[in-house]
Amino acid sequence: MAKLWGGRFDDCIDPVLEKLNSSINTDQRLWRVDIKGSKAYAKGLKDINLLTQEEENEIQKGLDNIYDEWENEKFAIQLSDEDIHTAIERRLKEMIGPETGGKLHTGRSRNDQVSNDMRLYIRHEMYPKLSLILSLLLQGLKNRANQYILISKDETTNKPLIFPGYTHLQRAQPVAFSHWILSYAWPFKRDLDKLKYIVSQEPWGISTLSLGSGAIAGNPLKGFDRIKLAKELDFQHCSLNSMDATSDRDFIMDILYWASIVGIHLSRLSEDLILYSTKEFGYIILPDKYTTGSSLMPQKKNPDSLELIRGKSAILISNCNALLVILKGLPSTYNKDLQDDKRLLFDSFDILLSSLKIMVGIIDAFEVNEDRCYNALSPDMLATDLAYYLVNKGLPFRDAHHVSGKVVNFAEKNLTTIDKIDLKDLKNINPLFEKDVINIWNYVNSVEQYKAIGGTGTSSILSQINVLDQYLIDK
């Protein structure tokens, strides 16, 4: 079949180049939005009398039939179909005839068509799925945090689940298990907010119509109304420079960078879950359906799902970097280098969606070994509380920090723990120590003193959960 652009050529394209030039295997997933844009464009051509009402009806019906073929997996791709735009136009001509079908592309280029399709795809295909799965992850994190705010270890005790908080991977201070879970809810909430802004609110990029820009110079059709076309496709703005519109991929860069950040958040959460599920930590037990075994060692239960998420985050970053490198040396307007923007975008979308789905399942199903969490607490983690005790006695914090360090040093040299040091020995270190120092050796009291906004105390955690509750309701 003759190429759409083949009129000025005498020789056929080299088969190797034809294969390299073809993007139909990648961009066929644009079929819904390509048809959506074409239907709206046909209305615009009818409005300026370049299509009769009968011709527009034929085109609309033909596009509807093509939609049904794709929907029912009956659309037959041919070797001559370079891309999704070529395939749909070819099929339309087959259905309604080349004379009427050939009019649809009047004033339109694949340059502005693909740019517009990508914007539509992000808005109508990617955004709903990614925003939904991020909301489900937020809901899951919130639910698990709520589960461990107050738990009963026996009939007379009701206290939050507490375990070690870490800095530099060293035990630092006691924190509520719920506080740790929520420390990942907030990054994913930011991710959800940023996605909404990128897709719906920014005054450029994804919310801007590029269709009607032609190949480079714009649309020459007298009376063609791009503002009406933008409204028809639910865009907030029209591009104001046709040369910029056909080459702009900033909106894809926004999404790829955003996906990289989400990937980093997923990777860090994965790392925590991997560590906490090891025999050495033992705080959590991963569900069987998200783990695998060893072909040699029968006892193994490997966190492959989390390791894959952690590894895939590198690909998200590399996809972002790849498009940056593609763009950095291009001259103005469209260049074929941009064909790979779709592969990078779709790959990142697929990776992110599957990673988020897996993480939702893990968060909902992992078990917590409460005893291991409590048993991992050690009195030296209350050294900061000891310093605060002295601060409340009037000692400046830097001096109190120094004294608390001496207490830790004394305990280490005497092969004991700081809570077992006699009051007499404590007084020898600093006379401000009194009998009430015994109240320091309580992990629940330690956690609950952090009542200020953002702290690990129960009141602060409840406040965090309330904010997330309202956010998810409003969303």
Side-chain angles (χ1 to χ4, degrees):
M1 181 174 289
K3 300 292 186 184
L4 294 178
W5 42 265
R8 62 94 64 221
F9 291 86
D10 293 326
D11 202 358
C12 294
I13 189 172
D14 184 283
V16 177
L17 175 56
E18 176 142 39
K19 185 176 181 180
L20 184 65
N21 186 53
S22 175
S23 62
I24 186 67
N25 290 332
T26 298
D27 63 26
Q28 62 180 278
R29 68 167 72 187
L30 294 173
W31 67 266
R32 284 189 181 87
V33 293
D34 193 77
I35 291 172
K36 183 181 181 71
S38 292
K39 288 172 69 68
Y41 193 76
K43 290 182 181 179
L45 292 177
K46 188 266 175 187
D47 288 343
I48 57 173
N49 300 315
L50 285 181
L51 290 176
T52 65
Q53 184 65 65
E54 182 179 356
E55 288 173 327
E56 194 220 336
N57 290 342
E58 285 186 71
I59 289 174
Q60 297 290 353
K61 183 177 179 180
L63 290 171
D64 286 339
N65 290 335
I66 293 171
Y67 187 101
D68 290 339
E69 286 187 346
W70 277 105
E71 187 72 28
N72 296 308
E73 299 182 355
K74 294 181 178 179
F75 188 96
I77 296 173
Q78 297 185 1
L79 288 175
S80 60
D81 295 335
E82 290 181 9
D83 50 43
I84 186 61
H85 326 294
T86 308
I88 289 176
E89 183 173 344
R90 184 262 308 161
R91 184 63 177 134
L92 181 65
K93 290 177 182 178
E94 291 175 353
M95 282 187 168
I96 67 174
E99 184 175 345
T100 301
K103 291 184 177 183
L104 176 60
H105 208 57
T106 306
R108 185 174 70 167
S109 165
R110 284 184 295 176
N111 295 0
D112 63 343
Q113 193 176 352
V114 67
S115 171
N116 210 66
D117 282 0
M118 294 291 276
R119 289 169 164 87
L120 288 171
Y121 183 82
I122 291 169
R123 291 171 57 204
H124 295 290
E125 303 274 348
M126 291 178 61
Y127 175 66
K129 293 176 182 177
L130 289 172
S131 61
L132 174 60
I133 196 65
L134 274 168
S135 296
L136 291 175
L137 180 54
L138 269 180
Q139 184 72 49
L141 289 166
K142 179 190 72 70
N143 289 345
R144 295 312 300 267
N146 193 62
Q147 183 178 352
Y148 294 103
I149 293 175
L150 294 174
I151 62 172
S152 297
K153 295 297 292 180
D154 56 55
E155 295 181 357
T156 60
T157 305
N158 199 28
K159 59 185 178 181
L161 177 60
I162 301 170
F163 81 139
Y166 295 83
T167 64
H168 307 277
L169 262 184
Q170 304 295 313
R171 293 180 182 179
Q173 290 181 272
V175 295
F177 191 82
S178 299
H179 197 55
W180 166 74
I181 293 176
L182 291 172
S183 74
Y184 283 102
W186 298 108
F188 290 119
K189 177 186 177 296
R190 291 195 296 272
D191 293 334
L192 191 51
D193 287 337
K194 289 173 186 174
L195 178 63
K196 182 178 180 180
Y197 177 77
I198 291 170
V199 172
S200 304
Q201 297 178 15
E202 64 174 19
W204 61 86
I206 297 171
S207 62
T208 298
L209 176 84
S210 56
L211 191 59
S213 298
I216 180 172
N219 190 298
L221 306 178
K222 186 176 180 180
F224 190 84
D225 192 344
R226 292 189 68 219
I227 294 177
K228 185 175 181 180
L229 182 61
K231 291 179 180 177
E232 180 73 23
L233 291 171
D234 196 29
F235 283 102
Q236 297 179 32
H237 314 278
C238 280
S239 58
L240 298 179
N241 184 291
S242 58
M243 296 177 72
D244 171 60
T246 57
S247 62
D248 170 34
R249 294 298 184 272
D250 290 356
F251 66 99
I252 298 180
M253 283 305 317
D254 288 340
I255 290 293
L256 291 181
Y257 173 72
W258 173 85
S260 300
I261 297 299
V262 182
I264 289 171
H265 294 154
L266 285 168
S267 182
R268 294 188 65 195
L269 176 54
S270 295
E271 177 67 5
D272 270 8
L273 292 169
I274 290 168
L275 285 172
Y276 292 170
S277 67
T278 61
K279 295 286 186 180
E280 287 74 15
F281 285 79
Y283 301 151
I284 67 170
I285 302 167
L286 295 174
D288 284 355
K289 63 181 177 179
Y290 294 109
T291 58
T292 63
S294 166
S295 61
L296 177 65
M297 298 164 284
Q299 84 281 8
K300 294 294 293 299
K301 183 177 180 180
N302 298 325
D304 283 22
S305 58
L306 294 167
E307 292 169 353
L308 286 166
I309 292 173
R310 188 176 59 186
K312 294 293 185 182
S313 67
I315 300 177
L316 294 173
I317 295 168
S318 69
N319 285 346
C320 178
N321 188 60
L323 188 56
L324 278 171
V325 176
I326 288 172
L327 292 172
K328 63 92 182 172
L330 295 187
S332 60
T333 73
Y334 185 82
N335 297 269
K336 199 60 177 237
D337 314 50
L338 295 175
Q339 179 167 283
D340 268 337
D341 62 353
K342 293 171 285 298
R343 179 183 62 81
L344 297 169
L345 180 69
F346 298 157
D347 187 45
S348 289
F349 173 45
D350 294 342
I351 288 172
L352 199 54
L353 191 60
S354 59
S355 296
L356 285 165
K357 286 180 177 179
I358 291 170
M359 187 59 79
V360 167
I362 292 172
I363 292 300
D364 286 346
F366 76 79
E367 299 176 35
V368 178
N369 187 329
E370 297 171 13
D371 289 334
R372 285 294 292 266
C373 289
Y374 283 114
N375 292 337
L377 297 170
S378 55
D380 60 297
M381 298 173 65
L382 300 172
T384 302
D385 300 73
L386 196 63
Y388 287 148
Y389 168 86
L390 295 171
V391 166
N392 289 326
K393 297 288 187 179
L395 197 64
F397 179 76
R398 282 300 163 207
D399 294 336
H401 183 284
H402 184 74
V403 171
S404 182
K406 283 184 171 295
V407 172
V408 172
N409 182 262
F410 180 91
E412 290 176 348
K413 287 182 176 179
N414 288 274
L415 304 179
T416 187
T417 56
I418 61 175
D419 62 319
K420 302 299 183 183
I421 300 175
D422 290 339
L423 180 58
K424 178 182 176 182
D425 292 325
L426 287 175
K427 280 185 168 292
N428 286 336
I429 295 172
N430 189 284
L432 289 177
F433 284 116
E434 302 289 345
K435 289 181 179 180
D436 60 349
V437 72
I438 195 173
N439 296 324
I440 297 300
W441 319 126
N442 185 299
Y443 299 116
V444 174
N445 290 346
S446 176
V447 165
E448 294 297 359
Q449 69 182 315
Y450 295 99
K451 299 180 184 298
I453 293 174
T456 189
T458 298
S459 60
S460 173
I461 293 172
L462 286 170
S463 177
Q464 293 181 63
I465 289 174
N466 288 337
V467 171
L468 289 172
D469 263 333
Q470 191 58 53
Y471 176 79
L472 290 167
I473 291 171
D474 293 341
K475 187 160 188 326

